[in-house]
Amino acid sequence: MQGIWFSELQTPGLAISVKLKKTLHHEKTPYQDLAVVETESYGRMLLLDNIIQTTVGDEFFYHEMIAHVPLNTHPNPRTALVIGGGDGGVIREIIKHPSIEKATLVEIDARVVANAREYLPEISCGLDDARVEIRFEDGIEHVRQMENTYDVIIVDSTDPIGPAVGLFSAEFYRNVYRALKPDGLFVAQTESPLFNGRLIRRIQRDLAEIFPIARLYLGTVPTYPGGLWSFSLGSKEYDPLEVDWKKAPQLVTRYYTPAIHQGAFALPPFVQEIL
Ligand code: AG3
């Protein structure tokens, strides 16, 4: 292959390769290796420890699905918390909801936000909204300290390696439950159903023990391992399959629609088997 290619080793036997135009930025932050590159097919791309976090070309699949499913499940979400998500993509989607009064971003690495602001303006543009508060702290600690605070909590983490491991634990989910209002709900990105079945099964079982409603839904994300991605939802009261669509806000989106929302909970047999 001609030119310079970046490859992410997605599993020990599978890589995704993206042709690069140039490297815009590279640094070692206190937490991780960070790079922003310009790709030929997906536009700008954010890498953390050589793992694709997001690209300008396909970020909308992921950010719309992780944000609008929980926000439309709640009939009147006023306060939202994002853990991780320093690129700002989830925040950009959250503030499309007119009911939102405050969106808090808790990101451990300030350099992710700084670089997203500089190099990924299409994704980070919502961070300057007056309703947004950004805190550079550990999401696990933040949730431990909160009680009865948020309508919706969204965990937009990296893969469950290193510092993100705690964001996939039952103890963390119990703290999320406490940090939510009495009718609150939460969603986390939970990796590939094709390659991370055991992890997804364990998370769904943990959530079912903590929340009255625990569900799994799926969305396409072209640059993530397997191309099909999972999201796990825990809810105290509202069922994502019983949204009153007449009352839902009209959103300008590129992937998410009410029909996609409903359909995302239809699990193919190979996914039902892992649960
Ligand atoms: N959060 C990262 C999802 C995991 C991607 N994994 C992978 N490529 N191996 C996305 C951050 C976007 N806001």
Side-chain angles (χ1 to χ4, degrees):
M1 290 192 286
Q2 293 285 311
I4 298 171
W5 290 71
F6 165 81
S7 291
E8 174 189 331
L9 201 57
Q10 296 185 322
T11 76
L14 180 71
I16 182 175
S17 297
V18 190
K19 192 171 186 183
L20 301 187
K21 283 189 179 159
K22 63 177 170 195
T23 297
L24 298 164
H25 183 77
H26 185 202
E27 71 175 271
K28 295 232 186 270
T29 79
Y31 297 95
Q32 53 210 337
D33 182 280
L34 182 156
V36 183
V37 296
E38 179 82 39
T39 76
E40 210 162 278
S41 301
Y42 283 126
R44 291 184 177 187
M45 176 166 87
L46 173 67
L47 303 170
L48 295 177
D49 290 334
N50 284 315
I51 289 175
I52 298 176
Q53 299 302 313
T54 197
T55 81
V56 168
D58 80 338
E59 55 86 12
F60 63 97
F61 293 91
Y62 175 90
H63 290 133
E64 291 181 10
M65 286 305 279
I66 200 170
H68 301 311
V69 171
L71 287 162
N72 274 342
T73 297
H74 195 295
N76 185 32
R78 290 185 298 185
T79 51
L81 167 68
V82 179
I83 293 177
D87 53 69
V90 181
I91 290 286
R92 183 196 64 205
E93 297 304 314
I94 288 176
I95 59 174
K96 288 181 180 173
H97 289 255
S99 62
I100 288 291
E101 292 165 3
K102 187 160 180 204
T104 306
L105 179 76
V106 171
E107 161 65 57
I108 201 164
D109 191 343
R111 296 303 302 154
V112 175
V113 173
N115 281 292
R117 283 188 192 280
E118 176 149 4
Y119 297 104
L120 306 168
E122 305 91 334
I123 302 176
S124 62
C125 52
L127 294 174
D128 293 320
D129 188 278
R131 294 167 288 173
V132 175
E133 182 196 3
I134 305 178
R135 304 172 70 115
F136 297 115
E137 50 188 59
D138 182 353
I140 295 174
E141 246 337 285
H142 180 83
V143 157
R144 202 175 275 150
Q145 288 158 13
M146 294 294 140
E147 211 170 313
N148 191 13
T149 308
Y150 299 106
D151 292 315
V152 174
I153 296 178
I154 297 175
V155 182
D156 179 15
S157 71
T158 50
D159 293 338
I161 6 179
V165 168
L167 296 170
F168 292 80
S169 73
E171 185 196 350
F172 172 70
Y173 301 146
R174 280 191 287 272
N175 292 330
V176 165
Y177 184 96
R178 220 194 30 246
L180 285 167
K181 297 231 175 97
D183 59 351
L185 70 149
F186 128 96
V187 165
Q189 76 85 0
T190 48
E191 305 285 310
S192 158
L194 200 49
F195 299 120
N196 303 94
R198 289 225 307 272
L199 172 78
I200 293 169
R201 176 207 194 87
R202 200 264 300 148
I203 290 170
Q204 285 292 316
R205 290 185 178 189
D206 286 347
L207 291 182
E209 281 187 12
I210 299 166
F211 289 86
I213 299 167
R215 294 200 192 278
L216 185 73
Y217 66 94
L218 304 175
T220 294
V221 187
T223 53
Y224 289 175
L228 178 69
W229 210 244
S230 80
F231 303 88
S232 291
L233 182 149
S235 179
K236 293 189 181 182
E237 187 167 331
Y238 306 115
D239 187 333
L241 289 170
E242 279 160 30
V243 175
D244 183 354
W245 292 108
K246 294 186 297 297
K247 294 193 182 138
Q250 295 288 322
L251 302 168
V252 178
T253 54
R254 297 173 70 201
Y255 183 73
Y256 178 91
T257 65
I260 298 271
H261 174 124
Q262 295 286 142
F265 291 88
L267 302 179
F270 91 90
V271 178
Q272 283 176 29
E273 271 166 27
I274 65 177
L275 293 181

